[in-house]
Amino acid sequence: MIPDQEVFRGKKILVTGGLGFIGSNLSIKLIEMGAQVLLVDSLIPEYGGNLFNVRDIESKIRINISDVRDEHSMRYLVQGQDYLFNLAGQTSHMDSMQDPYTDLEINAKAQLFILEACRKYNPDIKIIFASTRQIYGKPDYLPVDEKHPLRPVDVNGINKLAGECYFILYNNVYGIRGCVLRLTNTYGPRMRIKDARQTFLGIWVRLLVEKMPFEVWDGHQLRDFTYVDDAVDALLMVAQSEEAEGQIFNLGGDCVISLEDLARLLIEVNGSGDYIVRPFPPDRKQIDIGDYYTDFSRIHSALGWKPKVSLREGLRRTLEFYRKFLKYYQ
Ligand SMILES: NC(=O)c1ccc[n+]([C@@H]2O[C@H](COP(=O)([O-])OP(=O)(O)OC[C@H]3O[C@@H](n4cnc5c(N)ncnc54)[C@H](O)[C@@H]3O)[C@@H](O)[C@H]2O)c1
């Protein structure tokens, strides 16, 4: 299945975190589909927001620089919207350990503000919430399906879990239609590559494009990766499906790969490059989840979603983007 191109035509759509990696890729697609898109983003420098991300659609969207922690702004912004793609988030696991309160405020408390604003001022809105595989913690079994126990290993995982629970609760109790996607490592054009806050793959790509060696920590861990266009497809598919309301779905990748093999593949696709294997820094090791990969059969059976872009092709497109636009992301 592919998302129906007509469903969003003329629809009013609010994207929180819309200047970030996934939010901007989604917004580009929504504009192509004829939607009226309003982006809300705080542009906090440590996060993934970047005005360059929406350069190509700048004249067709509205941007409101505000913070989802501002209850009053959110009250106003949700009004009249048909859909809310709720992608604003603090995404760094390490930052959540060093500054747990900010993570709590953005990933949990602000989610309640958004839901309360919807309950009071726009109960007919439909909300899609981007959650994370981090809430499963260290897997008991692989691949991890949605029934796996939830044992977050960091503050970020706990707050994202609270966030997704609120959306399901408001769906069930107040009928504010919501759906949760638990994303695995997502990558592609417009991701943050300045540092490893969003994903280690970001800093790998940046160093490779800058012709510098990058570090692989340990290297044996298994992971799966979703190319951003596939994640965007899933967001659009669940938004247009009644069956998805009140549901939680995992997203996964087209293959399972160790980090060292990923490093080799990235270098092969790039045509050159180098990496150094290092032991895990002790503070990271504490919150590492070991091997992880996803069972995404639930969303596949319900909606037909599966990753379409192979890892090799996704990496190729990513490298091509950053070779061209590196200066806007350094
Ligand atoms: N990228 C991934 O691999 C991945 C994996 C799992 C879950 N997710 C989730 O997907 C969502 C989007 O992630 P992303 O990868 O696009 O990250 P991102 O950092 O690029 O995007 C998040 C955006 O939210 C904005 N933001 C942060 N705090 C805000 C606030 N208080 N008010 C308004 N805007 C705020 C940031 O400026 C940024 O533009 C996040 O909720 C994240 O937890 C992402």
Side-chain angles (χ1 to χ4, degrees):
M1 185 182 147
I2 51 161
D4 182 338
Q5 300 288 316
E6 288 307 309
V7 170
F8 299 104
R9 185 168 302 283
K11 289 287 187 297
K12 290 190 169 169
I13 301 187
L14 179 63
V15 182
T16 68
L19 295 176
F21 165 41
I22 301 172
S24 60
N25 281 286
L26 170 72
S27 301
I28 291 166
K29 187 79 190 172
L30 284 167
I31 291 295
E32 269 171 41
M33 292 172 140
Q36 297 177 44
V37 181
L38 169 60
L39 306 188
V40 174
D41 204 294
S42 58
L43 275 183
I44 296 169
E46 289 76 23
Y47 303 163
N50 185 338
L51 277 167
F52 184 79
N53 281 345
V54 294
R55 186 192 62 157
D56 295 343
I57 53 167
E58 217 167 24
S59 60
K60 298 183 182 135
I61 49 172
R62 286 189 301 141
I63 301 176
N64 191 309
I65 304 297
S66 51
D67 198 300
V68 293
R69 287 170 289 182
D70 179 352
E71 200 176 351
H72 304 291
S73 298
M74 290 319 295
R75 197 175 286 173
Y76 165 76
L77 290 164
V78 300
Q79 293 181 30
Q81 301 295 331
D82 297 306
Y83 294 89
L84 163 58
F85 290 94
N86 194 15
L87 303 172
Q90 194 300 107
T91 61
S92 160
H93 304 297
M94 279 314 289
D95 287 4
S96 82
M97 301 304 286
Q98 278 141 16
D99 178 7
Y101 302 133
T102 300
D103 194 273
L104 173 72
E105 281 177 10
I106 297 175
N107 289 329
K109 193 173 174 191
Q111 306 309 316
L112 261 185
F113 289 164
I114 292 171
L115 279 161
E116 277 294 282
C118 293
R119 183 171 76 83
K120 291 180 186 146
Y121 302 101
N122 188 0
D124 293 331
I125 197 168
K126 185 159 179 179
I127 309 176
I128 316 305
F129 178 65
S131 183
T132 168
R133 60 130 167 91
Q134 193 71 5
I135 68 173
Y136 293 117
K138 225 173 165 24
D140 285 348
Y141 58 84
L142 291 164
V144 173
D145 59 16
E146 292 84 349
K147 295 196 184 98
H148 188 282
L150 303 174
R151 276 188 316 252
V153 292
D154 57 32
V155 168
N156 179 260
I158 294 175
N159 294 330
K160 290 293 280 190
L161 175 56
E164 66 164 66
C165 290
Y166 293 139
F167 286 96
I168 298 300
L169 180 84
Y170 273 60
N171 178 91
N172 297 345
V173 176
Y174 300 116
I176 315 277
R177 295 166 301 157
C179 176
V180 171
L181 291 182
R182 289 183 183 152
L183 276 56
T184 187
N185 302 275
T186 308
Y187 73 103
R190 303 178 183 82
M191 66 185 176
R192 182 179 173 98
I193 60 163
K194 234 179 217 168
D195 49 39
R197 277 204 161 83
Q198 193 175 77
T199 161
F200 64 87
L201 196 49
I203 193 74
W204 287 13
V205 165
R206 174 176 160 192
L207 290 170
L208 202 56
V209 172
E210 289 175 341
K211 301 189 188 321
M212 312 237 288
F214 59 89
E215 286 185 8
V216 178
W217 296 340
D218 182 356
H220 294 103
Q221 312 89 310
L222 299 176
R223 287 285 185 278
D224 59 353
F225 296 84
T226 310
Y227 185 67
V228 66
D229 288 2
D230 285 326
V232 165
D233 267 5
L235 289 160
L236 296 169
M237 279 162 132
V238 297
Q240 58 189 230
S241 157
E242 274 181 32
E243 204 183 330
E245 289 163 16
Q247 301 298 314
I248 296 175
F249 296 110
N250 280 346
L251 297 189
D254 77 316
C255 64
V256 178
I257 189 166
S258 76
L259 295 195
E260 195 167 354
D261 284 345
L262 176 68
R264 288 196 200 100
L265 178 63
L266 190 64
I267 287 171
E268 189 191 317
V269 174
N270 191 49
S272 64
D274 228 337
Y275 66 90
I276 306 157
V277 179
R278 289 257 153 87
F280 244 104
D283 54 346
R284 300 264 171 175
K285 185 77 198 158
Q286 288 281 341
I287 61 169
D288 179 50
I289 57 167
D291 293 340
Y292 174 92
Y293 50 94
T294 318
D295 179 342
F296 58 83
S297 53
R298 188 158 193 271
I299 189 166
H300 182 59
S301 326
L303 304 176
W305 181 88
K306 64 174 185 195
K308 288 191 287 209
V309 180
S310 71
L311 185 56
R312 176 181 289 273
E313 172 60 13
L315 294 175
R316 192 195 63 73
R317 292 187 201 174
T318 307
L319 285 164
E320 186 177 73
F321 180 86
Y322 287 104
R323 263 188 233 114
K324 219 159 143 192
F325 300 120
L326 183 66
K327 68 173 179 198
Y328 299 102
Y329 292 89
Q330 280 167 317

